[in-house]
Amino acid sequence: MSKKGRQIGGVIGILVIFGLVAGGIVVQRQHHQREVKIAQQQAKIKRQRQAQEAKKQRESQKVAAAKAKEERLKAESQPTIVAEQALDDYLKQIGFSGTALIVRDKQVLLDKGYGSANRAKQLVNTPDTLYVIGSTEKALIATSLLQLQEQGKLNVNDPISRYLPDFPNGQQIKLTDFLHHTSGIVGRNQGNQTRLSTN
């Protein structure tokens, strides 16, 4: 091959190499542009989802605030009885928080809520506020049974069947067994109870 032919071949070779390199650069640039476009679309979708979540959260907060306001207004409108102003003044003075029901000679002297049932929701205590009392009622029931025994209306050594004839195994279980928690009756599952709370 002549010198001129080799030079032309070399130039063609260089052009081919240049074309391949340039083509590779173009392909690489197009691939990069596609990746950038995909990333931008994903970022846009993420922003839209975040905006939707924020909107849902704002709406949920508005609904909760409206419900809390409605409950607060309802609580504030609950009827109260204040037949003895001195009792009401005293409970306010000592900063009592809860519900007071005071009865004398079968007449209601005071039936009113004081303080907050839920400070975060700004709910006030009313005569109808529900409280989580745990086992407080056990002492009240025991006291009532012993008072009835003092009055001769029952005997704690009586079988429960005397008062509740259809009670299972009622002939063997005495009232005193309930007072001492020795009746043998399995209590409720602590986890399955419905809990009413104002918190």
Side-chain angles (χ1 to χ4, degrees):
M1 182 181 269
S2 69
K3 186 176 179 184
K4 191 171 183 177
R6 281 197 303 272
Q7 286 176 343
I8 291 173
V11 169
I12 291 173
I14 291 171
L15 290 174
V16 168
I17 291 170
F18 179 74
L20 290 173
V21 170
I25 291 170
V26 169
V27 168
Q28 196 175 27
R29 186 175 291 150
Q30 289 172 343
H31 180 71
H32 177 70
Q33 287 173 343
R34 263 188 255 123
E35 286 180 344
V36 168
K37 191 173 183 179
I38 289 169
Q40 288 173 337
Q41 288 173 339
Q42 289 173 341
K44 184 179 178 182
I45 290 169
K46 185 177 179 181
R47 283 193 304 272
Q48 288 173 339
R49 285 184 183 156
Q50 288 172 337
Q52 289 172 345
E53 288 298 318
K55 184 179 179 183
K56 283 181 187 176
Q57 191 174 11
R58 283 192 304 273
E59 289 172 358
S60 177
Q61 288 171 343
K62 283 181 184 177
V63 169
K67 187 175 180 183
K69 183 178 180 182
E70 180 182 329
E71 288 177 4
R72 188 172 61 251
L73 292 173
K74 181 182 174 187
E76 290 170 354
S77 67
Q78 292 293 327
T80 60
I81 298 172
V82 180
E84 289 283 336
Q85 190 61 48
L87 291 171
D88 184 47
D89 292 341
Y90 175 73
L91 292 174
K92 288 177 187 173
Q93 178 187 346
I94 65 170
F96 175 72
S97 183
T99 299
L101 173 61
I102 300 174
V103 179
R104 183 175 58 209
D105 298 326
K106 298 181 181 179
Q107 180 185 355
V108 177
L109 303 178
L110 184 71
D111 188 9
K112 184 176 177 181
Y114 298 85
S116 296
N118 185 315
R119 288 188 181 109
K121 294 181 181 177
Q122 298 178 342
L123 296 177
V124 296
N125 285 317
T126 73
D128 297 322
T129 299
L130 298 175
Y131 299 93
V132 179
I133 62 171
S135 292
T136 307
E137 78 278 4
K138 291 176 184 173
L140 298 173
I141 292 169
T143 302
S144 299
L145 286 174
L146 294 174
Q147 286 176 338
L148 289 170
Q149 179 168 278
E150 275 184 351
Q151 296 169 15
K153 295 181 179 177
L154 61 76
N155 186 321
V156 294
N157 291 312
D158 287 340
I160 190 71
S161 60
R162 180 170 180 182
Y163 306 98
L164 300 169
D166 297 329
F167 197 89
N169 204 24
Q171 287 290 68
Q172 280 70 42
I173 302 171
K174 297 177 182 179
L175 290 177
T176 190
D177 293 326
F178 288 107
L179 294 173
H180 300 129
H181 304 281
T182 56
S183 67
I185 297 172
V186 178
R188 72 178 185 282
N189 180 351
Q190 293 293 326
N192 70 358
Q193 59 191 335
T194 301
R195 184 171 179 187
L196 299 173
S197 176
T198 56
N199 294 338

